[in-house]
Amino acid sequence: MISLSFLILCLLIVGCSTEQPHSEFLSRAEQSVFEHPDSVVRMLAPRWYDTKMNEADRALYGLLYTEALHRSGLFTEANSLILFSRKYYKEKGDDEHLSRALLHHAIILYKQKQTHEAVLTMKQAEYLAKDMDLPAFKWYLYSVLGDVNDNVGNYTQTLRYYKQALAEARRSKNEAWTVQTLNNIAATFDLLGQTDSLKYYTDLAQPSAPRTDGEIRATYLVNKASYLMSLGKYQEAKRLLMESMRYTPTDRASKLLADIYMREGDIKSAVQQWYRLANSFSPDVSIQSYRLLIRYLNSNGNRDGALEYSQRLNAVYQKLYERSDAAGIIDAQAQFDEQQQERRQYRMTIALLSAIILLSIVGAAAVWYIRRRIDRINARFAQSEQRYDLTRKELTRLRQQKERELLENSRQLKDVVARLHSAANRGQAAQDEDVSMLAQLSYAQSQKLQQLLSVLNTREQTVCLLTRQNFLPTEIATLTISTPQAITNIRVRLLRKLFDQTGGAKDFDAAIKNV
């Protein structure tokens, strides 16, 4: 009997000893995940295949490991851990951990280019964390939402989220987070061309910036250099940019250095920066760098190199077109906010109806008052629906009108081109009315073309427009009462005048058609 009791006691002790270390271990990791994510990654990685965890520990492990990876700047495509955590905390009603799980699952979805689902999941995390006292988590949440909106150029929302992140960073009393967020706000204002705001937020970061390192320190120096460049202090800016490169190379620093090298006439150094920026994750930076490289290679007679980079540029354009999710991200956020507002209104309506039922017991007078209030609410709702219908009809009308205008413009352009071809075949000069109509219709299709050709006289503009419509040099010469050789000379001259390139008439034809 004593032996049996001793055996049972030993089994209980062993059972407890295999359960308890997981909870203590994960508790220590959760206390450190916000401040020291790198340490948490190293702490948790060896436990990946631990099969002794219960459901609660597995859910917490999946959350902490994914969270530590993301906060360390790392990424994993394995979403099974965070999916289990998300499901577990949703079933348990643990909104705090669920909010964190939603955010980090959304980050994985966003990296996998499941943009719409990712943004909605982030918004769910934001909604759950709205009233929670979690400054360390909410700083990261708002920073991620700010970055997502920054990626699609939704700068109003970008600044709103970054400023919310700044408030949470200050509540956390974390200098690195504060400087990082101030850097993000300053960089956004720099992108918007608001140099006063750039200087203001850069100055706010100045007291704490010397105590930062890595990318945070580098970004601060780049913001400061950008402001100095706006004042014309290029040498001071260049020194700061070179210093930032010693901390962490960034695309903005390379771009600004390239601009300074171009100003100094150091084309070779500028080209080195363009080659680096061609592989930038930012489509805008990559596209601009490819264009500058192509122009440089053409000017140096390297046609093969220019062709190769032109093909790469086309690939960037194709990827950008395929992932044109800016409107989707903005609409997804707006729809989510609208749905939450509707849900709040719905809950309010339910509360009102419950109050009506409760107050109806008090007496007929209270019931009569409440019914009148409901009628007023229904009337406002009906008015809102009517306004919505009118607005939708007006938008539909405007869209249809725009489509008709585009079709009419295209038809008229075809007629004008046909008349001009006919005149050229008959050996007649172009009618002023046809030339004027060609210019009007072409500029209506492309404002950029109109801006480019605005520096030319009427004859030069006519040559450009006829070339874009695939007229032969002999036809252009006939229509403009010139010789084919004169037209060729004009095209060569316009290649340098409009595009700052050297080459032949065919190079001009390709350039003007690509505008």
Side-chain angles (χ1 to χ4, degrees):
M1 186 65 181
I2 296 175
S3 300
L4 181 60
S5 300
F6 179 75
L7 178 61
I8 294 173
L9 179 61
C10 290
L11 290 174
L12 288 174
I13 293 174
V14 171
C16 292
S17 65
T18 58
E19 186 71 40
Q20 188 64 22
H22 290 301
S23 299
E24 293 179 356
F25 178 81
L26 293 172
S27 296
R28 291 197 305 272
E30 187 166 22
Q31 292 172 1
S32 304
V33 69
F34 296 141
E35 300 285 348
H36 307 289
D38 295 338
S39 300
V40 173
V41 171
R42 291 192 295 270
M43 188 188 307
L44 296 181
R47 305 289 184 106
W48 180 276
Y49 296 105
D50 191 343
T51 59
K52 297 180 181 179
M53 297 184 191
N54 57 27
E55 284 192 348
D57 288 343
R58 275 207 301 150
L60 185 57
Y61 175 87
L63 171 60
L64 293 177
Y65 186 68
T66 308
E67 193 168 29
L69 283 175
H70 290 163
R71 282 179 171 263
S72 301
L74 303 175
F75 171 65
T76 176
E77 292 187 359
N79 59 3
S80 57
L81 285 176
I82 198 66
L83 275 173
F84 179 83
S85 302
R86 175 178 174 177
K87 180 180 179 182
Y88 177 82
Y89 290 126
K90 184 176 181 181
E91 291 175 351
K92 297 299 181 181
D94 186 344
D95 287 346
E96 176 182 333
H97 287 91
L98 176 59
S99 178
R100 290 161 58 186
L102 286 169
L103 172 62
H104 292 284
H105 185 211
I107 292 173
I108 294 176
L109 292 172
Y110 188 78
K111 294 291 186 180
Q112 293 173 343
K113 296 183 176 58
Q114 299 181 44
T115 309
H116 188 269
E117 185 179 354
V119 171
L120 290 180
T121 306
M122 288 181 192
K123 295 293 289 183
Q124 291 175 23
E126 179 193 12
Y127 178 75
L128 286 177
K130 183 178 180 181
D131 298 323
M132 295 180 184
D133 185 21
L134 300 169
F137 167 66
K138 292 170 77 172
W139 166 79
Y140 189 75
L141 168 66
Y142 294 139
S143 296
V144 171
L145 283 165
D147 292 342
V148 169
N149 282 278
D150 180 54
N151 290 339
V152 298
N154 188 14
Y155 296 121
T156 301
Q157 288 286 75
T158 299
L159 289 172
R160 182 173 75 85
Y161 281 121
Y162 281 160
K163 289 178 180 179
Q164 287 180 274
L166 178 60
E168 299 299 335
R170 286 171 170 167
R171 287 182 59 205
S172 300
K173 298 180 181 179
N174 188 301
E175 280 191 335
W177 298 351
T178 302
V179 174
Q180 180 180 341
T181 309
L182 288 169
N183 286 342
N184 290 340
I185 296 173
T188 304
F189 279 119
D190 186 25
L191 192 62
L192 293 172
Q194 300 182 24
T195 54
D196 290 341
S197 297
L198 165 64
K199 180 179 185 302
Y200 175 76
Y201 284 98
T202 303
D203 289 344
L204 286 180
Q206 184 173 2
S208 301
R211 292 188 289 275
T212 61
D213 201 354
E215 187 175 355
I216 298 176
R217 176 67 172 166
T219 305
Y220 166 77
L221 293 172
V222 174
N223 286 337
K224 194 171 181 180
S226 181
Y227 177 71
L228 290 174
M229 289 178 65
S230 70
L231 300 179
K233 299 180 180 180
Y234 294 98
Q235 290 305 314
E236 295 181 42
K238 183 178 180 181
R239 178 182 61 79
L240 291 176
L241 291 171
M242 297 300 291
E243 183 182 352
S244 77
M245 287 293 195
R246 291 196 294 271
Y247 286 99
T248 298
T250 62
D251 289 347
R252 283 183 67 215
S254 296
K255 182 180 181 301
L256 294 177
L257 274 175
D259 293 341
I260 294 176
Y261 288 141
M262 286 294 294
R263 188 176 184 85
E264 294 175 345
D266 188 359
I267 305 299
K268 184 177 293 185
S269 296
V271 169
Q272 291 178 354
Q273 300 299 329
W274 294 340
Y275 276 116
R276 178 183 175 276
L277 291 171
N279 297 316
S280 170
F281 290 106
S282 170
D284 293 336
V285 174
S286 178
I287 288 170
Q288 182 182 10
S289 302
Y290 273 122
R291 287 176 175 172
L292 292 170
L293 280 174
I294 293 168
R295 183 184 300 176
Y296 169 77
L297 293 171
N298 278 324
S299 66
N300 284 272
N302 188 351
R303 304 295 182 194
D304 293 337
L307 178 60
E308 178 184 353
Y309 278 91
S310 296
Q311 292 172 347
R312 294 185 183 183
L313 177 58
N314 290 335
V316 173
Y317 280 130
Q318 181 65 27
K319 290 180 180 178
L320 187 61
Y321 174 77
E322 293 173 353
R323 195 173 179 254
S324 180
D325 52 5
I329 290 177
I330 296 172
D331 289 342
Q333 294 180 89
Q335 289 175 9
F336 184 89
D337 291 336
E338 184 178 350
Q339 288 173 359
Q340 296 307 315
Q341 180 66 23
E342 289 177 353
R343 288 179 181 178
R344 285 193 291 269
Q345 292 178 350
Y346 176 76
R347 286 194 292 268
M348 183 180 297
T349 303
I350 295 299
L352 287 174
L353 290 174
S354 300
I356 291 172
I357 296 173
L358 180 63
L359 292 174
S360 64
I361 302 173
V362 177
V367 173
W368 174 79
Y369 170 77
I370 293 170
R371 286 179 178 174
R372 286 193 57 188
R373 189 168 183 177
I374 292 174
D375 290 340
R376 288 196 296 269
I377 292 174
N378 290 334
R380 286 198 297 269
F381 181 76
Q383 291 175 358
S384 298
E385 279 192 328
Q386 290 176 357
R387 287 195 294 268
Y388 171 77
D389 290 339
L390 290 174
T391 303
R392 185 176 61 181
K393 290 178 181 178
E394 180 63 18
L395 289 174
T396 302
R397 186 188 65 79
L398 292 174
R399 178 177 58 79
Q400 292 173 347
Q401 180 180 350
K402 183 65 176 179
E403 291 174 351
R404 288 194 296 270
E405 290 175 355
L406 290 174
L407 289 173
E408 179 63 19
N409 183 289
S410 178
R411 185 190 63 77
Q412 292 179 355
L413 183 60
K414 289 181 181 178
D415 292 344
V416 170
V417 170
R419 289 199 299 272
L420 289 171
H421 274 299
S422 178
N425 292 335
R426 295 196 304 271
Q428 297 177 354
Q431 298 292 328
D432 292 342
E433 180 181 359
D434 289 339
V435 172
S436 176
M437 182 61 71
L438 175 63
Q440 178 182 349
L441 295 173
S442 298
Y443 295 152
Q445 289 183 344
S446 174
Q447 294 183 355
K448 185 176 180 181
L449 177 66
Q450 183 177 11
Q451 294 173 358
L452 178 66
L453 303 186
S454 62
V455 299
L456 305 180
N457 57 39
T458 302
R459 184 185 183 194
E460 291 173 334
Q461 290 188 28
T462 302
V463 171
C464 292
L465 296 175
L466 292 172
T467 301
R468 281 176 61 87
Q469 297 300 328
N470 299 315
F471 279 79
L472 298 175
T474 54
E475 292 179 309
I476 299 175
T478 301
L479 294 172
T480 58
I481 315 178
S482 303
T483 65
Q485 184 60 45
I487 296 303
T488 299
N489 294 338
I490 290 174
R491 288 152 63 203
V492 172
R493 187 174 69 254
L494 290 178
L495 179 63
R496 176 175 292 278
K497 185 174 183 179
L498 294 179
F499 303 102
D500 194 22
Q501 299 178 12
T502 58
K506 292 184 177 179
D507 296 322
F508 166 77
D509 295 348
I512 195 65
K513 290 176 182 178
N514 285 332
V515 175

